[in-house]
């Protein structure tokens, strides 16, 4: 899946599954060489994003969506 297509798939999954008043878990799976594990704490890998419901069931898994920005899950960011 291309990077752009993966980012769109992740945005669509968030719109489809995340509803106000519900609890969700977002798991970001970084590559071993990602700088998120260094003192810089900046994602430089193609992190896999996993969205789970409150029972731990996987609602969406998107690979190849590019570097992870912690603000992407805030209301104003898209």
């Amino acid at each position: 899946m291309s990077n752009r297509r993966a980012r769109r798939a992740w945005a669509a999954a968030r719109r489809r599954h995340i509803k106000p008043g519900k609890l969700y878990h977002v798991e970001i799976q970084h590559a071993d060489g990602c700088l998120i594990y260094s003192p810089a704490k900046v994602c430089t890998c193609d992190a896999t994003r996993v969205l789970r419901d409150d029972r731990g069931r996987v609602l969406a898994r998107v690979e190849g969506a590019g570097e992870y920005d912690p603000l992407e899950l805030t209301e104003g960011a898209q």
Side-chain angles (χ1 to χ4, degrees), residues 48-68:
T48 298
R49 291 148 171 85
V50 181
L51 180 63
R52 298 178 187 269
D53 65 8
D54 59 343
R55 294 182 179 180
R57 294 178 294 199
V58 174
L59 301 173
R61 173 186 290 276
V62 177
E63 297 179 11
E67 298 171 351
Y68 172 67

Side-chain angles (χ1 to χ4, degrees), residues 1-16:
M1 183 180 297
S2 72
N3 194 281
R4 182 177 183 187
R5 197 168 166 197
R7 285 193 311 266
R8 286 183 174 185
W10 179 243
R14 289 180 10 225
R15 283 191 305 271
R16 182 174 39 251

Side-chain angles (χ1 to χ4, degrees), residues 15-36:
R15 283 191 305 271
R16 182 174 39 251
H17 295 293
I18 296 179
K19 305 293 181 213
K22 300 286 183 174
L23 177 66
Y24 300 94
H25 302 276
V26 177
E27 180 180 324
I28 308 298
Q29 300 171 345
H30 297 276
D32 290 339
C34 183
L35 290 182
I36 198 76

